[in-house]
């Protein structure tokens, strides 16, 4: 019997730090050895001419999730995970969303029921908190944390999800106490509602006005406010889907001055613009997402920020709603833009797009690609055994052909959608083989894994986000005239 289950040989190994020629041996789902040459193996995979990289970790996606307005995303944990795997991912972290009145325990139970029987990939959840009652804050979030759900997401927008500044402070404080990370969707809710009212009064209700209704300033103001709230209680913060120059500049400035701030942008903000919202007929509805697509100058500036290291990750924000009355048009085919479902698919396009427009076009290095697609998410979100090629780590590996050119087409997708916003894009580089814990999930253009084989990953507080364990400066007794205030 061979010492190893699988040996991947002859490839170029890429981590967030290095590129080198070498072989990888896998035993019992873990990387057992990395060396210049490894003999043997019950199965040998030839990676000649290929890049062997950590499997992608998709850290922002909405799978089998009801939106704030109650519409269920098109993808369940089967189609979502299959689509993610074909896109080069070996693991994903969708959201488990609390809607008002729900306990956190029932939310987690619901998502366990959706994920465990269906996912072909390992998964975890970020918890969306929309109802931070005293019980949720005192008992339920700590219990979720104990279970390995170590990131809590909050919305500053959407009436039914917005927790308000005080709610955000409460959640940041609980998260900080337990070493969890708070994620925030930052848009100024009142600004958006105010714009909506004026646009409605002007009869401006077509999909393109979605972009007008959610101005860049709404994001910039909210990011600034969220950062100030996090600094007040000295808690780490992760700003999701940054779409503006102003927002990215705040993130860059704060990171440079030592704020424990993490952030991402998404392929749609790098690839598409608000001109897509003005496509003929109702086509623009396909491009409605929040925050909205911006202009060409912003698109280019965001690429500069990706290259400069402002963002930890490029995530898909896969929020799939079909182009029909069960999805985008739940409120009717002629619904005004505020009543069209927010979000677009992209879980399979994220990494091929980032590789092609990033690495192949020379905007980022291979090391940056690995960091942005996998390693940083693993470290920031506490996926301790994932996100790198290291002996002892899970054998989560994607083998890429960096030369293959292909055109993105709906008919090649594996999600449950009836459109892709990336339709027709010419991309260089294809993830040919995806391995999760040593098992081949995708190879030869086919799904090789069984429904439900993916496992829940209990996450740790990450080294980068864990509480520093000292009192927030604003709460120090010396600053509060000697009074002890609970942070
Ligand atoms: O438009 C989007 N991104 N919909 C998904 C929900 C959210 O805001 O993240
Ligand atoms: Zn969001
Ligand atoms: Zn999202």
């Amino acid at each position: 019997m061979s010492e190893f289950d699988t040996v991947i040989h002859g490839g170029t190994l890429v981590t967030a730090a290095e590129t080198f020629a070498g072989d990888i041996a896998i035993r019992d789902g873990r990387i057992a050895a990395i060396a210049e040459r490894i003999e043997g193996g019950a199965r040998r995979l030839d990676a000649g001419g290929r890049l062997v990289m950590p499997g992608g970790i998709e850290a922002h996606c909405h799978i089998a999730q009801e939106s704030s307005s109650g519409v269920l995303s098109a993808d369940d944990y089967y189609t979502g995970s299959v689509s993610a795997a074909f896109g080069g991912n070996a693991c994903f972290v969708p959201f488990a969303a609390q809607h008002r009145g729900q306990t956190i325990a029932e939310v987690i139970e619901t998502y366990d029921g959706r994920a465990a029987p269906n996912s072909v990939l390992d998964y975890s959840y970020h918890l969306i908190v929309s109802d931070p009652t005293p019980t949720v804050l005192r008992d339920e979030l700590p219990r979720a944390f104990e279970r390995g759900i170590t990131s809590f997401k909050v919305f500053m927008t959407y009436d039914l999800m917005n927790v308000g500044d005080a709610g955000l402070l409460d959640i940041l404080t609980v998260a900080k106490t337990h070493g969890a990370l708070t994620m925030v969707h930052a848009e100024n809710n009142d600004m958006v509602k105010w714009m909506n009212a004026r646009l409605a009064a002007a009869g401006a209700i077509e999909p393109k006005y979605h972009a007008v209704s959610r101005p860049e300033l709404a994001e910039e103001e909210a990011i600034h406010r969220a950062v100030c709230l996090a600094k007040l209680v000295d808690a780490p913060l992760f700003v999701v889907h940054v779409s503006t120059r102003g927002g990215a500049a705040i993130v860059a400035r704060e990171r440079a001055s030592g704020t424990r701030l993490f952030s991402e942008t998404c392929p749609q903000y790098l690839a598409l613009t608000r001109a897509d919202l003005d496509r003929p007929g109702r086509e623009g509805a396909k491009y409605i997402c929040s925050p909205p697509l911006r202009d060409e100058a912003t698109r280019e500036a965001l690429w500069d920020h990706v290259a400069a290291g402002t963002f930890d990750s490029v995530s898909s924000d896969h929020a799939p709603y079909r182009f029909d009355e069960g999805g985008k048009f739940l409120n009717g085919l002629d619904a005004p833009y505020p009543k069209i479902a927010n979000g677009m698919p992209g879980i399979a396009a994220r990494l091929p797009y980032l590789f092609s427009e990033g690495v192949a076009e020379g905007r980022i290095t291979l090391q940056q690609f690995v960091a942005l697609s996998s390693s940083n998410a693993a470290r920031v979100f506490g996926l301790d055994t994932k996100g790198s090629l290291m002996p002892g780590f899970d054998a989560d590996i994607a083998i890429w052909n960096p030369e293959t050119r292909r055109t993105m087409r709906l008919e090649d997708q594996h999600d449950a959608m009836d459109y892709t916003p990336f339709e027709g894009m010419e991309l260089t580089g294809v993830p040919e083989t995806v391995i999760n814990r040593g098992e081949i999930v995708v190879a030869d253009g086919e799904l090789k894994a069984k429904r439900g084989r993916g496992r829940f990953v209990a996450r740790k507080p990450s080294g980068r986000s864990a509480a520093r364990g000292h009192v927030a400066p604003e709460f120090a007794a010396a600053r509060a005239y000697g009074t002890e205030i609970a942070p």
Side-chain angles (χ1 to χ4, degrees):
M1 212 174 83
S2 174
E3 190 189 351
F4 302 120
D5 303 324
T6 305
V7 171
I8 304 170
H9 65 95
T12 300
L13 276 50
V14 188
T15 69
E18 315 286 353
T19 302
F20 55 102
D23 296 353
I24 298 188
I26 298 169
R27 187 175 49 232
D28 298 333
R30 299 200 163 203
I31 296 175
I34 297 178
E36 260 182 288
R37 175 96 191 124
I38 301 176
E39 303 296 340
R43 169 173 61 191
R44 289 184 68 80
L45 299 179
D46 182 0
R50 307 291 192 268
L51 301 173
V52 180
M53 303 195 268
I57 297 173
E58 170 61 82
H60 187 153
C61 52
H62 303 267
I63 306 292
Q65 185 200 318
E66 292 88 1
S67 73
S68 58
S69 49
V71 47
L72 189 66
S73 59
D75 280 311
D76 59 20
Y77 270 80
Y78 182 67
T79 57
S81 62
V82 170
S83 186
F86 275 94
N89 297 286
C91 175
F92 67 158
V93 190
F95 294 99
Q98 181 206 29
H99 294 280
R100 294 205 177 131
Q102 289 183 311
T103 66
I104 300 298
E106 79 185 84
V107 172
I108 295 173
E109 194 184 333
T110 299
Y111 280 86
D112 283 345
R114 293 173 180 179
N118 291 313
S119 186
V120 303
L121 293 180
D122 286 358
Y123 60 93
S124 188
Y125 319 117
H126 309 291
L127 193 62
I128 289 177
V129 185
S130 67
D131 202 0
T133 63
T135 314
V136 165
L137 294 166
R138 192 189 53 239
D139 304 326
E140 297 198 38
L141 291 182
R143 238 179 266 139
F145 179 80
E146 292 293 311
R147 175 140 181 229
I149 299 173
T150 55
S151 43
F152 310 145
K153 182 186 175 190
V154 294
F155 288 91
M156 298 171 84
T157 186
Y158 306 142
D159 278 346
L160 294 172
M161 304 300 280
N162 179 11
V163 295
D165 291 355
L168 179 46
L169 281 168
D170 284 340
I171 293 163
L172 282 162
T173 304
V174 173
K176 164 214 165 106
T177 306
H178 292 271
L181 181 58
T182 306
M183 304 164 78
V184 67
H185 175 137
E187 285 184 290
N188 181 310
N189 199 40
D190 281 349
M191 252 193 225
V192 172
K193 284 164 64 174
W194 194 89
M195 291 297 286
N196 279 341
R198 265 136 196 92
L199 286 160
I205 56 168
E206 290 307 310
K208 63 186 174 193
Y209 294 107
H210 175 74
V212 184
S213 74
R214 308 184 87 93
E216 302 209 354
L217 285 168
E219 178 176 286
E220 292 172 31
E221 186 281 329
I223 290 178
H224 178 70
R225 182 158 35 103
V227 169
C228 290
L229 296 173
K231 285 166 83 168
L232 176 67
V233 295
D234 197 22
L237 182 71
F238 190 110
V239 182
V240 298
H241 50 45
V242 174
S243 69
T244 57
R245 279 174 286 184
I250 294 168
V251 171
R253 186 186 72 221
E254 291 291 337
R255 284 163 71 101
S257 63
T259 305
R260 279 177 303 157
L261 183 60
F262 309 95
S263 188
E264 65 177 14
T265 189
C266 312
Q268 50 271 39
Y269 303 116
L270 300 169
L272 307 168
T273 68
R274 70 208 298 275
D276 291 297
L277 283 157
D278 194 18
R279 291 192 184 211
R282 304 296 284 166
E283 282 290 297
K286 292 179 177 175
Y287 300 88
I288 287 186
C289 61
S290 296
L293 301 175
R294 309 294 183 182
D295 59 14
E296 184 58 26
T298 303
R299 195 180 79 77
E300 285 173 16
L302 289 175
W303 261 119
D304 289 343
H305 277 285
V306 170
T310 300
F311 301 115
D312 296 283
S313 316
V314 173
S315 306
S316 72
D317 194 5
H318 181 76
Y321 302 108
R322 287 170 66 91
F323 195 60
D324 61 25
E325 284 161 290
K328 284 276 174 192
F329 301 119
L330 196 74
N331 295 301
L333 293 173
D334 294 326
Y337 72 82
K339 298 220 170 278
I340 297 173
N342 270 263
M344 60 173 79
I347 203 164
R350 169 182 84 114
L351 298 184
Y353 174 79
L354 184 64
F355 188 92
S356 185
E357 288 298 307
V359 179
E361 289 298 319
R363 290 182 171 108
I364 58 173
T365 63
L366 274 173
Q367 272 60 54
Q368 285 177 297
F369 175 79
V370 171
L372 290 163
S373 64
S374 179
S375 303
N376 287 347
R379 301 293 78 80
V380 170
F381 291 117
L383 292 151
D384 265 17
T385 58
K386 296 191 183 290
S388 193
L389 304 178
M390 294 263 283
F393 270 44
D394 290 356
D396 284 10
I397 296 168
I399 305 176
W400 284 65
N401 185 329
E403 309 291 343
T404 307
R405 281 187 68 75
R406 64 172 169 165
T407 307
M408 289 293 285
R409 296 274 178 232
L410 175 64
E411 55 262 34
D412 301 325
Q413 305 302 303
H414 299 84
D415 58 17
M417 286 297 291
D418 52 1
Y419 77 93
T420 164
F422 301 94
E423 184 75 37
M425 277 189 196
E426 303 276 343
L427 299 179
T428 302
V430 171
E432 291 179 335
T433 304
V434 172
I435 298 170
N436 175 207
R437 271 186 295 102
E439 288 178 38
I440 294 181
V441 179
V442 164
D444 309 318
E446 289 173 11
L447 181 70
K448 305 284 186 186
K450 284 209 179 69
R451 186 190 278 263
R453 67 154 293 283
R455 283 193 202 147
F456 174 78
V457 184
R459 291 180 288 124
K460 305 274 187 310
S462 79
R464 290 190 195 174
S465 68
R468 285 179 186 146
H470 64 75
V471 177
E474 290 294 334
F475 297 92
R479 193 160 169 83
Y481 301 99
T483 304
E484 293 283 342
I485 314 170

